[in-house]
Amino acid sequence: KGNYIHRFMKALLGGSHPWYKIRSAQKLLRLCNDYGNETVDRICDMAVSCEITDVKRISTLLQKEKKKSWQSRFMRAAKYFTK
């Protein structure tokens, strides 16, 4: 996995009771399978820089990223509409 995924995982599982967050860590790994390591690594970079350790937020950001890329797939350049 990516460097920022590793840093996010260390922040998530850090503390005196890391086993409380083991399900969240497993969810993050499943998100890597669903969205790809590079995309999750990029989102984890943003999360680590903002000190976010909530995997639900990561999931929401990934869903928004996927929706944004899906919409841009159908957009046409301005040159298409000129005569």
Side-chain angles (χ1 to χ4, degrees):
K1 308 291 178 199
N3 185 34
Y4 292 106
I5 294 171
H6 179 72
R7 288 177 58 193
F8 181 84
M9 200 69 87
K10 281 179 71 174
L12 178 68
L13 297 175
S16 58
H17 304 292
W19 54 87
Y20 287 141
K21 299 286 187 168
I22 197 73
R23 294 250 185 214
S24 295
Q26 292 170 339
K27 181 175 181 162
L28 183 65
L29 294 176
R30 284 191 303 275
L31 288 173
C32 290
N33 292 336
D34 294 341
Y35 293 97
N37 291 339
E38 292 178 7
T39 306
V40 176
D41 195 48
R42 188 168 15 92
I43 298 296
C44 283
D45 177 23
M46 292 181 353
V48 166
S49 65
C50 296
E51 298 179 2
I52 296 171
T53 58
D54 186 17
V55 177
K56 288 182 182 180
R57 274 209 159 142
I58 299 291
S59 178
T60 303
L61 289 170
L62 286 166
Q63 289 171 358
K64 287 182 180 181
E65 180 82 14
K66 185 177 181 179
K67 184 178 179 181
K68 185 174 69 172
S69 68
W70 180 80
Q71 289 173 345
S72 66
R73 186 175 75 184
F74 295 105
M75 295 180 76
R76 296 183 179 145
K79 182 180 174 183
Y80 176 83
F81 297 102
T82 59
K83 290 184 179 184

